[in-house]
Amino acid sequence: MEKKYPEYKQLNLSQVADEMLEVWKREKTFEQSIETRKGKEPYVFYEGPPSANGLPGIHHVMARTIKDIFCRYKTIAGFQVKRKAGWDTHGLPVELGVEKELGITKEDIGKKISVQQYNDACRKAVMRYTDVWNDLTEKMGYWVDMDDPYITYENKYIESVWNILSELYKKDFLYKGYTIQPYSPKAGTGLSTHELNQPGTYRDVKDTTIIAQFRVIQNERSNRLFENTKNEVFFLAWTTTPWTLPSNTALTVGKNIQYAEVETINQYTRKPISVILASDLVAKYFNADMEGKSASEYNGKGGVPWKKADEFSGADLVNAQYEQLLPYTLPMDNPEEAFRVIAGDFVTTVDGTGIVHTAPTFGADDARVAKVAGVPPMLVEGEGGQGIPLVDLQGRFIDQMGDLAGKYVKNEYYDAGKTPDMSVDVEIAIRLKEENRAFKVEKYVHNYPHCWRTDKPILYYPLDSWFVKTTAAKSKLIENNKKINWKPKSTGEGRFGNWLENLQDWNLSRSRYWGIPIPIWSNEDGTERIIIGSVEELKAEIKKAVDAGVMDNDPFADFEVGNMSKANYDTIDLHKHIVDDIVLVSESGQPMRRESDLIDVWFDSGSMPYAQWHYPFENKEVFEQNYPADFIAEGVDQTRGWFFTLHAIATLAYDSIAYKNVISNGLVLDKNGHKMSKRLGNAADPFETLKKYGADATRWYMITNAQPWDNLKFDLEGIVEIQRKFFRALHNTYSFFALYANVDGFKFEEDYIEVASRPEIDRWILSKLNSLVKTVSSSFDNYEPTQAGRLIQDFVVNDLSNWWVRLCRKRFWRGDYSEDKIAAYQTIYECLKTVAVLSSPIAPFYSDKLYRDLNSITANDAESVHISLIPEVNESLMDGELESRMELAQRASSLVLALRKKQNIRVRQPLGKILIPVSDETFKSKMEKVTDVILNEVNVKEIEFIDPNNELLVKQIKPNFSKLGRAYGKQMKALATLINGLSQEQIKAIEFKGELEVELEGQLITLTPEDVEIGSKDVPGWLVASEANVTVALDITITDDLKFEGLGRELVNRIQNLRKDSGLEVTDRINVKVAKNDIVQNAINYNLNYIRTETLSDNLDLVEGTLIENGVGVELEEGIDTIIKIEKV
RNA sequence: ACAGCUGUAGCUCAGUUGGCAGAGCGCUCCCCUGAUAAGGGAGAGGUCACUGGUUCGAUGCCAGUCAGCUGUACCA
C-alpha cells in the first residue's frame, strides 16, 4: 500500500508527548542535537542546580521551560548547545529533613549520633527525590544531560571549590571577623535569614524599654552644648533591649537631623537636667501645657515642666563624648575611642529619640557604623586572650559583669520554674532610675524574632566568621554587571544593582555539619594558618604532620595524586567528619586544627562554572570553551542567591563575568494571584498537569500568557484555551492538508513552483510566513519568548487557519491535480513545516510530531525538528504592500458579510455587485489585486470601483490630529469642531480642489487634504458599511439567475450533508436522484456541471418524487422542498 | 520601613516617538455546516488605579498617592 500522511481522529497532546519521548529515546535525539552540531559555534548554558531533597513544583516547569526554549532555539539556529545537569546537595533543608526523620536536634549530633552517621544520612537523603526529578525533566521535555551531572557533594566538586577559596585567600579576599548574626542560645546555633523567615518566627512581645540619659562630658568637643544651659547635659537614647546597655560604646545620630536641647527635670529624681533629642520628637515626650512652667509646679502627673534651650544639627553633636552609662568593663581595644557620638545613615525620627544607643556586639547596624567610625566593640579579654562579648553563648552575662554575672539576659532562657521575678532588663531599669540615668521606662509591645525550633527569642550575637571581602571588589562588581544583559533590565539595574551598591562582605561561615568544610587549618591562637587548595596539597601537609608526629597516619593513604579516576576519588571523603580529624603542623611546629565552619551553600552553586568540570585539575580546555555562559535563567529569588554568587566568584577569583545573558523569571501564583503553597492546597501538581494537558500546552500557556519575568497567574482554564485555539487550529490545518494530500498523492515530488507564479493568496501567506520567521527569530534572539509564541500563535490561528485555509478549501477538493492545486499543497506544506520548526523550542513534542509526519512522505529533511535548522528568511518574498492589501480584502469581506447579515441574505446566495469607492489610484490598484479574494469570500459576482467624486457618495471627514495639532496648538479643539461640521460641498472642495478656506476664530486658514481624513459614509439607495478607510456598498437585488445559482449551491450543500451522513469518503463517487419540481428543475439545469463536480456525482437525475425509494426530504430554502437520494457508484 | 515589578473590558493580556483605546476568552442574539468538540457576523461591556503637573491634546511623559506581589530589613 502506498504511504500516506498519518491522519488522526483527534488530538491528544499528552499521548503525542509519550510517543515522542519513546522516539527520542530510541533515536537518541537529544544526543544527536548536540552531535550534529559538532564544530559549530558553542552556545553555553549553565544549569542552576536544584536540590533533589525536595519535590519539584509547577514553578520548576516554568523555570525549566525558559531554559529549555533558548537551548533548543540556539540549536536550530545552528549552535552547539551542551547542557550539563547539576544537583545542589548541601544546606540546611537537607539537615533539617534528616533531623526530623531521625527525631534528633542539632545538640544530639556528636552525642546520640556521630557526625559521620549524620552526614551519611544526609548524603542518602539528599538524592531522595532524584527519580521524581528525572521523571519530571523527561515528561516536561526539558533537555539536559542527566547522565553526567555535577553533584556538589562529590570530592572532585569540593576540591574545585577549595581551589577557588584558596585563590580568594591568596588574593586577600578572605578574612576572619566578628559579625552580628541571629543566634539562638538555647539551640546553640546561628540562624540563617532563611530560618528567620519561617512563618511564626516574628511575634509581638512586651519588653521593658528604657530611654537612658548619657551624661555629656564637657570639653572642647562639646562646649557648644553647654552655651545655653547651666544643667547637666544628657543625650537621650532609647532601647528595647536594656541588657545591651552595658555593651554600649557609642551613640549614633543622623547628620542632617535637627536636635533640640531641652531644660527639664528627671521625673524619677526631680533633678534638673538638660536633654538632647531630635527636634521632631520634642512634642512626643514633652507636654505642650508644661512648656515654660517651673520645677515646683510639677506634681508627678501631666508631664514634666520644660523649656527649649538650644538647637543643633546632628553634625554638631558628632564626636562629643559621654560618660559610660554602666561601667562594668571597658573595651579591650582602643577604649579611648569609645563613648562618643558618631553619625549613621540609618537613624530616623520615627521612634525613639533620634539618637541611637549603639552596642556593636549586639546589633548589625551598630557594628557597621562603629567600625566605620573607629569605635571599638565592647569585648573583654577571654581566657585565650581573644575578645569575648559580655554575654556568653548560653545567653548569660559573663563573670566580669559583677551583680549581673551568670544571669540570663532574657527570662525566657531560664529552665521552667527557675525564672527570677525580676528580669535583667528590669534590674537595669531600676538602677538607672536611681542613678538619675533613666529618662523614661515603659513597657512596649514590638515585633521580635524567635527561634523557630526552641520558641525562645533570638539574640543578635557576634560570631566568629569567615568572610569574602566582596566590598573590596565593589566597583569591579558593578562595572562587570554592566556587561550583563538582564531580562528584565530593571532587575539588573534595580534589584541587583542596588544590592551591589549596598554590598556587604559575604559571610561564608555556617556552623553546620553537612556541607563543604572551610579548608583552613590554624594553630591554637590563630597566628599561623594554612589554606588547602587541593587534595594534593592536603596530602603533602598530612605527610609533614605525620612526620612531625602530630598525626598518626594519613587517612587518604590510598589516594593517588594525579589520578583523576572516579575510583581514586572514591577512596577519600572531604566532608567534616573526616577532615576534622586531620591535624596539620605549622611552620613553627605547632598542631593546626581545621576552622570548624562549613561554607555557605551558595558558594557551592556559585562555583559550578569551574567545579562542574573539576577545573583546574581536569578539563581545562572544556572549561575555557564553556566560560562564561551565554545564558542562564532562574527565578527572581535567585537575584541575591545564585545570580550574585556566580557573579561574585567570577569577578573576585577570575576578574570576569560568569554569564552574558540572564533571565530572572517571576513567580507562579495560583489563579487568584496568591502564592502557591502545599499548606493552602492551591499548589498545582506538575505531573498531573502535564499528564492531563500535555507538556506542550502547559509550556505554551506559561510562555505566552505572561512575560517570563512577570508573575504568572496559573489557571488550568488557560491551558485548555491554548489547546483549543492554537494546537487544535494547527492540528486541524495539518489534518486538512493530510486528508487531501493523501487523496491526490501529493509528495512534494513536483518542481517547486516559483512563488511569483502562485496565486495572490499563496504569495500573501508566504510573505507572512517569511515575516514570521524573521520576527520570531529576532524575538528569541532578544530573549523575548512570549513575543515569539504570540507571533506564531497569531500566524497559525488568524492567517493560516482562519484565512488562508478558509479561502483555499475549494482548491483542494475540486478539480484535477493542477498546477494551482500543487501550488496550494506546496504552500501549506511549507507553512506547516516552518511553523513546526519555529514553535519547536516552546512545544517540543507536538512540533516534532508534526515535522516528522510531514516528512514521513517527502523525507527530504532532518530526522527531527530539533536537529533541523530554521529556514532562511527570503526577503524577496516579504511584501508589505501585499500584506496590507490583503488586510483591505479582509476588511472589505468582513463588511460585506456584515451587510448580508443585516438583510439576512445567506452567503450561499450569490449577489451581483458591490461598489467600492476608491479615493486614489494606489488604493484602487491594491483593491483590484485582491478583487478575486473578496468576491470568492463573499460570494458576489463583481466589484465596481467608483470615483470618489461620484455623486452617490456621502462624505465623512475627520481631522488629522497629529498634523493639525502641531500647527494650530491651542485652537485644535475649535478646529476639530469646525471640521466635523463641514458640509458635503466643503469636503468635496478639499478633496478635489485640494484646499478650502475656512474661518477659525476670526482667522482665515486653509485646509488641505493632508490635514484631514476623508471617507465615504453612505451611498443612498445602497446598503453601505465602512470601517477605517474602506467602504463597501452592496447591491442586494436577487435576479432569477442568481436565485437559481443560489439554489444550486443549497442543493450541493444538502447532497454533501447526505454524503457525510452516509459515511462516504471524500473521494467516493455517487449517483444522485432528485425529486422533480419546476423550481428545482431550473436550479439543476442551470448549475448541472457545477453540482456534479462539487458533489462528485457521475449521474444527476431528476425523477418523479414517487419513484425515489428511501429518499430524504430536504428544504432548500423556505417553501422549496424536494427529495434526494444518493448512492455510491 | 526600604527597593523592584505590576495596576487597561467580567477574566487573561496587547498597545501607544503623546492624536478620541484593542485581541482572545466569557456573556447575549444570529448565521454557517466536507476544518465540524470548528468557522463567521452583530451587540453589551472601559474615568486605561487615584491626584496634581507639563501639553492644543496624557492611558502613555513628570511628581505624588493608593493597592497587589516579590525581595531585603525589622534596628534603636
Side-chain angles (χ1 to χ4, degrees):
Chain A
M1 191 185 146
E2 204 178 1
K3 270 187 89 180
K4 292 186 170 226
Y5 295 98
E7 293 178 47
Y8 306 94
K9 279 263 173 306
Q10 61 193 10
L11 176 64
N12 183 336
L13 286 172
S14 186
Q15 218 172 310
V16 170
D18 290 344
E19 189 190 320
M20 291 318 296
L21 274 179
E22 282 305 309
V23 175
W24 289 350
K25 237 180 249 175
R26 194 171 60 233
E27 298 182 354
K28 298 194 182 309
T29 312
F30 175 38
E31 289 81 351
Q32 276 195 58
S33 79
I34 294 168
E35 198 56 34
T36 54
R37 299 295 192 263
K38 209 166 193 173
K40 295 285 192 294
E41 196 180 329
Y43 177 80
V44 181
F45 165 74
Y46 289 163
E47 165 77 339
S51 167
N53 178 56
L55 286 168
I58 196 80
H59 56 288
H60 292 111
V61 176
M62 171 80 188
R64 306 176 117 206
T65 297
I66 293 168
K67 301 178 188 183
D68 195 49
I69 283 173
F70 293 99
C71 291
R72 287 184 192 263
Y73 167 70
K74 287 293 174 179
T75 303
I76 58 173
F79 292 83
Q80 187 184 37
V81 190
K82 294 181 181 162
R83 39 287 210 201
K84 191 175 173 79
W87 295 109
D88 191 19
T89 56
H90 290 136
L92 191 70
V94 185
E95 295 196 1
L96 295 178
V98 164
E99 285 160 33
K100 198 172 162 194
E101 204 170 283
L102 300 179
I104 60 167
T105 66
K106 281 267 183 301
E107 289 114 276
D108 298 326
I109 302 166
K111 295 173 192 159
K112 286 188 193 165
I113 178 175
S114 71
V115 177
Q116 168 154 16
Q117 286 168 323
Y118 181 82
N119 276 355
D120 284 348
C122 287
R123 182 189 290 263
K124 277 190 205 108
V126 72
M127 297 310 265
R128 180 178 348 214
Y129 298 118
T130 311
D131 290 350
V132 184
W133 276 90
N134 287 344
D135 193 31
L136 181 83
T137 305
E138 191 179 289
K139 290 213 169 100
M140 68 165 286
Y142 179 40
W143 272 359
V144 62
D145 180 7
M146 291 182 294
D147 294 334
D148 181 27
Y150 64 92
I151 299 173
T152 59
Y153 70 50
E154 284 183 344
N155 291 318
K156 284 188 176 183
Y157 196 95
I158 296 176
E159 189 180 27
S160 285
V161 173
W162 280 8
N163 177 263
I164 294 165
L165 287 168
S166 78
E167 287 298 314
L168 293 181
Y169 190 86
K170 280 179 211 153
K171 293 186 175 176
D172 205 20
F173 280 130
L174 283 191
Y175 70 92
K176 192 177 191 181
Y178 267 123
T179 158
I180 313 302
Q181 297 168 33
Y183 173 78
S184 173
K186 282 287 113 175
T189 174
L191 300 172
S192 67
T193 53
H194 169 242
E195 288 166 294
L196 225 49
N197 282 329
Q198 299 264 340
T201 49
Y202 279 92
R203 287 179 223 153
D204 279 339
V205 291
K206 200 181 215 181
D207 272 328
T208 301
T209 68
I210 302 176
I211 297 176
Q213 299 176 191
F214 292 83
R215 182 164 180 264
V216 183
I217 296 171
Q218 186 168 8
N219 59 19
E220 68 283 359
R221 294 190 199 172
S222 62
N223 279 332
R224 172 78 182 82
L225 309 183
F226 293 85
E227 278 172 14
N228 290 314
T229 184
K230 297 271 179 293
N231 296 346
E232 280 188 301
V233 178
F234 297 92
F235 293 117
L236 294 187
W238 184 55
T239 180
T240 54
T241 51
W243 61 267
T244 62
L245 286 171
S247 300
N248 171 284
T249 54
L251 292 172
T252 308
V253 297
K255 266 191 175 154
N256 301 319
I257 296 174
Q258 277 297 309
Y259 291 87
E261 183 170 52
V262 176
E263 287 193 341
T264 181
I265 59 167
N266 182 289
Q267 62 170 313
Y268 306 112
T269 63
R270 311 255 169 133
K271 287 187 181 162
I273 54 174
S274 282
V275 297
I276 294 171
L277 73 163
S279 301
D280 291 349
L281 291 161
V282 170
K284 187 173 167 186
Y285 296 106
F286 297 99
N287 192 329
D289 296 343
M290 297 301 288
E291 183 169 9
K293 299 267 170 76
S294 71
S296 56
E297 286 175 76
Y298 181 58
N299 60 5
K301 285 178 199 157
V304 288
W306 63 282
K307 174 178 114 202
K308 192 186 267 189
D310 209 345
E311 284 241 350
F312 323 100
S313 77
D316 295 334
L317 305 180
V318 171
N319 271 332
Q321 291 167 296
Y322 59 89
E323 276 179 10
Q324 189 179 6
L325 187 70
L326 293 164
Y328 287 97
T329 61
L330 281 176
M332 59 189 278
D333 296 322
N334 309 320
E336 69 283 356
E337 287 295 326
F339 315 121
R340 59 188 172 91
V341 176
I342 59 178
D345 52 6
F346 62 93
V347 181
T348 67
T349 54
V350 176
D351 48 20
T353 61
I355 302 175
V356 177
H357 149 58
T358 303
T361 45
F362 300 112
D365 273 340
D366 306 33
R368 186 167 51 81
V369 290
K371 194 171 174 192
V372 171
V375 169
M378 183 62 82
L379 295 170
V380 297
E381 203 166 310
E383 281 171 24
Q386 81 284 21
I388 55 170
L390 302 186
V391 177
D392 69 16
L393 283 163
Q394 280 70 48
R396 286 176 308 218
F397 279 114
I398 57 172
D399 294 344
Q400 289 92 321
M401 288 300 291
D403 58 320
L404 295 175
K407 291 183 180 171
Y408 284 107
V409 299
K410 295 254 176 202
N411 267 5
E412 287 89 342
Y413 299 154
Y414 286 99
D415 289 337
K418 295 186 179 160
T419 314
D421 296 340
M422 228 184 272
S423 70
V424 168
D425 288 346
V426 174
E427 276 188 59
I428 290 173
I430 291 170
R431 172 167 167 189
L432 293 180
K433 278 183 185 175
E434 289 167 358
E435 293 178 351
N436 191 33
R437 289 294 182 270
F439 179 76
K440 191 172 188 181
V441 174
E442 64 183 350
K443 295 281 186 188
Y444 177 81
V445 176
H446 66 148
N447 209 253
Y448 198 82
H450 289 68
C451 170
W452 60 287
R453 202 174 309 128
T454 63
D455 263 0
K456 310 280 189 191
I458 62 115
L459 244 44
Y460 287 89
Y461 196 86
L463 296 173
D464 223 2
S465 299
W466 281 91
F467 286 88
V468 181
K469 208 187 286 175
T470 42
T471 48
K474 182 170 158 181
S475 54
K476 197 84 203 169
L477 285 162
I478 292 169
E479 195 181 307
N480 277 345
N481 184 36
K482 291 181 185 144
K483 298 177 193 158
I484 299 170
N485 176 31
W486 281 84
K487 294 300 263 188
K489 217 180 177 67
S490 60
T491 298
E493 284 171 0
R495 189 181 286 206
F496 196 67
N498 290 343
W499 168 249
L500 294 179
E501 292 290 342
N502 302 317
L503 199 63
Q504 310 281 312
D505 282 345
W506 177 3
N507 185 352
L508 262 190
S509 294
R510 295 293 183 272
S511 36
R512 305 256 162 77
Y513 298 89
W514 177 239
I516 298 184
I518 286 186
I520 297 175
W521 274 257
S522 321
N523 67 347
E524 181 96 34
D525 60 13
T527 52
E528 288 181 286
R529 252 178 209 147
I530 186 169
I531 183 150
I532 300 295
S534 67
V535 180
E536 181 176 358
E537 279 174 52
L538 183 56
K539 268 187 75 86
E541 292 300 324
I542 289 173
K543 183 167 187 308
K544 280 192 214 164
V546 172
D547 291 346
V550 299
M551 236 182 128
D552 294 338
N553 56 22
D554 177 1
F556 298 156
D558 295 338
F559 182 84
E560 188 189 322
V561 170
N563 178 347
M564 296 298 160
S565 71
K566 185 173 182 302
N568 188 40
Y569 272 84
D570 281 346
T571 63
I572 59 172
D573 187 346
L574 300 179
H575 282 92
K576 183 176 172 72
H577 58 278
I578 304 289
V579 293
D580 276 7
D581 292 339
I582 297 175
V583 182
L584 302 179
V585 64
S586 76
E587 279 185 15
S588 69
Q590 293 180 54
M592 296 196 291
R593 297 189 181 275
R594 199 186 66 79
E595 296 283 316
S596 69
D597 291 328
L598 305 183
I599 61 164
D600 182 5
V601 285
W602 286 113
F603 199 97
D604 296 16
S605 49
S607 306
M608 63 70 65
Y610 328 93
Q612 68 172 339
W613 302 114
H614 194 208
Y615 178 84
F617 307 104
E618 283 182 78
N619 300 316
K620 273 196 179 143
E621 232 169 85
V622 181
F623 167 76
E624 275 155 23
Q625 281 163 7
N626 288 282
Y627 186 85
D630 287 298
F631 169 63
I632 61 170
E634 299 291 331
V636 269
D637 48 317
Q638 296 293 347
T639 306
R640 285 156 194 200
W642 197 52
F643 294 156
F644 172 69
T645 58
L646 280 175
H647 187 62
I649 293 171
T651 298
L652 266 61
Y654 300 98
D655 193 10
S656 156
I657 53 169
Y659 45 89
K660 296 177 187 165
N661 299 286
V662 50
I663 291 182
S664 73
N665 59 272
L667 299 153
V668 181
L669 307 170
D670 79 359
K671 64 177 174 181
N672 298 317
H674 298 123
K675 208 172 175 173
M676 285 190 181
S677 85
K678 284 192 188 117
R679 191 167 50 81
L680 296 173
N682 62 347
D685 180 328
F687 291 97
E688 237 172 69
T689 308
L690 292 177
K691 176 137 192 66
K692 192 160 172 195
Y693 303 95
D696 287 327
T698 306
R699 291 168 59 128
W700 198 276
Y701 163 72
M702 288 179 144
I703 292 306
T704 55
N705 188 65
Q707 306 254 51
W709 34 90
D710 287 336
N711 291 342
L712 172 68
K713 290 183 191 163
F714 187 75
D715 187 355
L716 295 174
E717 288 295 315
I719 308 183
V720 175
E721 194 180 321
I722 290 293
Q723 280 182 325
R724 281 213 325 255
K725 295 296 298 183
F726 175 63
F727 285 101
R728 196 163 297 155
L730 184 54
H731 181 252
N732 283 341
T733 305
Y734 167 76
S735 300
F736 177 84
F737 161 78
L739 176 67
Y740 292 105
N742 286 336
V743 169
D744 286 324
F746 171 75
K747 298 190 182 70
F748 222 128
E749 282 167 335
E750 299 80 9
D751 287 343
Y752 190 77
I753 297 174
E754 281 310 311
V755 174
S757 46
R758 296 191 200 183
E760 174 96 353
I761 185 84
D762 290 355
R763 279 184 284 121
W764 170 75
I765 194 76
L766 291 173
S767 170
K768 282 282 199 183
L769 184 71
N770 277 283
S771 304
L772 184 74
V773 175
K774 193 172 180 177
T775 50
V776 167
S777 298
S778 87
S779 299
F780 279 133
D781 284 336
N782 291 320
Y783 295 93
E784 295 276 0
T786 307
Q787 229 172 55
R790 285 174 178 171
L791 285 166
I792 296 168
Q793 193 169 301
D794 282 351
F795 174 83
V796 169
V797 175
N798 295 332
D799 299 334
L800 186 58
S801 175
N802 283 354
W803 190 247
W804 190 88
V805 172
R806 193 165 113 213
L807 292 182
C808 293
R809 269 148 67 182
K810 292 189 189 81
R811 295 169 71 191
F812 291 93
W813 83 58
R814 194 163 54 183
D816 310 325
Y817 195 56
S818 62
E819 177 105 337
D820 174 70
K821 205 173 201 182
I822 295 169
Y825 279 126
Q826 291 187 348
T827 302
I828 189 173
Y829 183 94
E830 188 174 341
C831 288
L832 284 169
K833 197 167 209 170
T834 305
V835 165
V837 176
L838 292 179
S839 56
S840 68
I842 309 178
F845 296 107
Y846 182 75
S847 62
D848 204 14
K849 176 78 185 155
L850 176 59
Y851 185 86
R852 286 162 188 265
D853 281 349
L854 289 169
N855 262 345
S856 65
I857 304 303
T858 58
N860 59 355
D861 230 323
E863 240 175 79
S864 163
V865 73
H866 301 294
I867 300 169
S868 70
L869 289 168
I870 298 172
E872 278 188 27
V873 178
N874 189 341
E875 300 270 355
S876 68
L877 297 183
M878 288 167 54
D879 185 344
E881 169 90 11
L882 170 61
E883 292 184 20
S884 92
R885 65 179 177 256
M886 191 59 77
E887 256 175 65
L888 290 178
Q890 287 174 329
R891 203 173 300 146
S893 303
S894 139
L895 289 170
V896 174
L897 291 173
L899 290 173
R900 278 177 168 277
K901 162 73 191 93
K902 217 181 250 171
Q903 290 296 304
N904 278 324
I905 303 172
R906 54 186 186 272
V907 181
R908 271 198 301 270
Q909 175 60 60
L911 291 173
K913 186 195 265 189
I914 50 183
L915 298 182
I916 298 184
V918 285
S919 49
D920 60 76
E921 277 306 312
T922 47
F923 184 78
K924 185 177 174 189
S925 79
K926 274 188 185 178
M927 274 296 186
E928 277 171 340
K929 286 182 181 144
V930 290
T931 298
D932 287 343
V933 173
I934 299 171
L935 293 179
N936 240 314
E937 174 64 8
V938 300
N939 197 16
V940 175
K941 296 289 167 200
E942 176 192 358
I943 292 182
E944 185 182 330
F945 297 106
I946 54 173
D947 209 277
N949 59 1
N950 189 308
E951 286 172 6
L952 286 173
L953 293 174
V954 175
K955 299 290 182 177
Q956 185 171 254
I957 192 162
K958 252 176 81 174
N960 178 349
F961 278 92
S962 51
K963 177 152 193 305
L964 291 173
R966 264 185 277 278
Y968 293 97
K970 223 167 266 182
Q971 297 167 299
M972 192 57 222
K973 207 165 248 172
L975 185 55
T977 319
L978 191 148
I979 289 173
N980 287 330
L982 290 178
S983 69
Q984 288 294 308
E985 283 70 33
Q986 288 172 306
I987 298 172
K988 283 178 186 166
I990 299 176
E991 202 172 11
F992 305 120
K993 286 196 199 134
E995 60 176 45
L996 174 74
E997 282 210 333
V998 290
E999 192 185 318
L1000 174 67
E1001 292 176 335
Q1003 230 182 327
L1004 273 185
I1005 62 164
T1006 308
L1007 293 175
T1008 65
E1010 290 78 50
D1011 293 333
V1012 291
E1013 286 168 33
I1014 298 174
S1016 313
K1017 184 165 66 179
D1018 212 358
V1019 184
W1022 290 65
L1023 269 183
V1024 174
S1026 61
E1027 188 193 317
N1029 53 347
V1030 181
T1031 302
V1032 298
L1034 179 63
D1035 180 353
I1036 52 170
T1037 320
I1038 301 174
T1039 60
D1040 279 353
D1041 281 358
L1042 291 173
K1043 175 99 178 166
F1044 290 141
E1045 191 180 335
L1047 285 173
R1049 287 193 168 216
E1050 295 295 338
L1051 197 59
V1052 167
N1053 168 254
R1054 301 307 185 273
I1055 293 170
Q1056 298 288 36
N1057 283 349
L1058 275 179
R1059 284 177 59 105
K1060 195 178 167 195
D1061 293 346
S1062 327
L1064 298 181
E1065 294 295 324
V1066 282
T1067 47
D1068 291 335
R1069 300 203 66 86
I1070 56 171
N1071 289 324
V1072 182
K1073 287 181 179 147
V1074 181
K1076 227 186 227 186
N1077 68 44
D1078 284 354
I1079 297 182
V1080 171
Q1081 189 158 5
N1082 277 331
I1084 289 181
N1085 287 338
Y1086 191 90
N1087 297 293
L1088 190 60
N1089 279 331
Y1090 166 76
I1091 297 171
R1092 285 181 43 192
T1093 319
E1094 288 286 307
T1095 59
L1096 302 180
S1097 315
D1098 285 358
N1099 295 298
L1100 177 56
D1101 299 325
L1102 275 163
V1103 294
E1104 287 302 332
T1106 47
L1107 295 177
I1108 299 179
E1109 282 173 42
N1110 301 324
V1112 179
V1114 293
E1115 183 178 54
L1116 296 184
E1117 70 175 67
E1118 213 171 325
I1120 304 176
D1121 298 282
T1122 185
I1123 298 166
I1124 305 176
K1125 171 158 186 174
I1126 64 168
E1127 273 172 345
K1128 192 173 164 184
V1129 174

